[in-house]
Amino acid sequence: MNARVIVVTGAGSGLGRAMATALLEAGHHVVLTGRSRAPLRDTASGHEQAVVIPSDVSSAPSVRALFEQIGEVFGRIDVLVNNAGTFGPSGSVDEIEPEDWERTVAANLTGTFLCAREAVRMMKAQSPRGGRIVNNGSLSAHTPRPASVAYTATKHGVTGLTKSISLDGRDHDICCTQIDIGNAATAMTAGVGTSARQADGTHRAEPTFDARYVADAVVHLVGLPLDVTVPSLTIMANRMPFVGRG
C-alpha cells in the first residue's frame, strides 16, 4: 500500500473523525482540519502520521493558508475529503432567514468549492500529477426531508460541483466522487433514531448504521488507481425510508 497525503475537512467529530481515523489506521498521512484545534487533536490521538491544521473552509484566505502549509509540509496532495458541513436552519423557504441561508451555503457549498479549488491547483502542478476528491453529499442531494430547504439546496449544488470537477479533471488525472450517506450514527444524527419528521407529517424513529462502514468505503476509494473512478456512491441504513420517501 502506498501511503497517500490526504486532507479531511471537518475532521474533529462525527463522520470526519471516523474517516480520518480509518485513513490513519490504513497508514496514510492525514491532514486534519476544522475550526477548533482541540477536537482535531483528539482525532489525531497520537498518530504519528496525523497533522493538525485548523482552518475555516468558508473563508478563502483560511483555505489558501491551509493548502500552502500542506505544500510546505508534504509538497503534494493525493486526496481531499470534503466532509465539513452543517444541517443549517429548519424550515420551508418562507421561514428561514437570509443570514441562516448564507451560513449554510458558506459551509456546505462554498467550503467544498474553495477546498476543491486549491486541491485541484496543486494536483495539476505536482509530479506525479493528479489526485482524488471525495465530496460528502447526502441523500438530500436526491430527495429532501421536510423543512430542509437550505441543506437540500446546498447538497444539490455539491452534486453539480462534483460532476464538473470530475469532467474537467479527466485530462489531469483527477477523479471526483460524491458519497451520499443516509443515517450514519453520529452526534449530528442522534435524534433520527428517536424521532424523525416524515413527508406525511408524522414522526417516527429511523434506523441508523455504524459510521465505520462509511470510513471503510472511503479507505477503499482512496486505494483505487487514478485510471479508475467512482462518480457516486450511496451508503445508508437498509430500512430507512429513502427509496420510497414522499
Side-chain angles (χ1 to χ4, degrees), residues 76-91:
R76 65 178 293 108
I77 175 176
D78 296 299
V79 180
L80 165 65
V81 180
N82 265 322
N83 168 72
T86 179
F87 279 140
S90 177

Side-chain angles (χ1 to χ4, degrees), residues 94-222:
D94 60 313
E95 296 172 332
I96 64 171
E97 296 298 324
E99 296 81 5
D100 293 330
W101 167 272
E102 290 168 2
R103 278 192 290 268
T104 309
V105 171
N108 293 357
L109 185 56
T110 302
T112 300
F113 157 73
L114 290 173
C115 290
R117 176 177 181 264
E118 297 299 329
V120 166
R121 286 180 168 182
M122 287 183 67
M123 289 172 178
K124 285 182 176 181
Q126 64 197 14
S127 181
R129 71 176 186 179
R132 191 176 300 275
I133 296 174
V134 180
N135 292 331
N136 187 344
S138 169
L139 296 190
S140 290
H142 305 274
T143 304
R145 287 186 179 276
S148 67
V149 62
Y151 181 77
T152 297
T154 59
K155 292 304 183 177
H156 276 67
V158 169
T159 298
L161 182 61
T162 300
K163 291 179 178 180
S164 289
I165 293 170
S166 182
L167 177 60
D168 296 338
R170 286 178 180 174
D171 291 339
H172 305 279
D173 297 323
I174 297 170
C175 301
C176 192
T177 297
Q178 180 167 313
I179 182 167
D180 296 318
I181 304 161
N183 287 6
T186 67
M188 287 183 68
T189 59
V192 170
T194 302
S195 178
R197 182 179 172 186
Q198 305 299 310
D200 63 1
T202 62
H203 289 76
R204 60 170 149 157
E206 294 186 8
T208 60
F209 71 102
D210 197 310
R212 77 175 185 270
Y213 297 116
V214 177
D216 290 345
V218 172
V219 171
H220 177 70
L221 286 171
V222 166

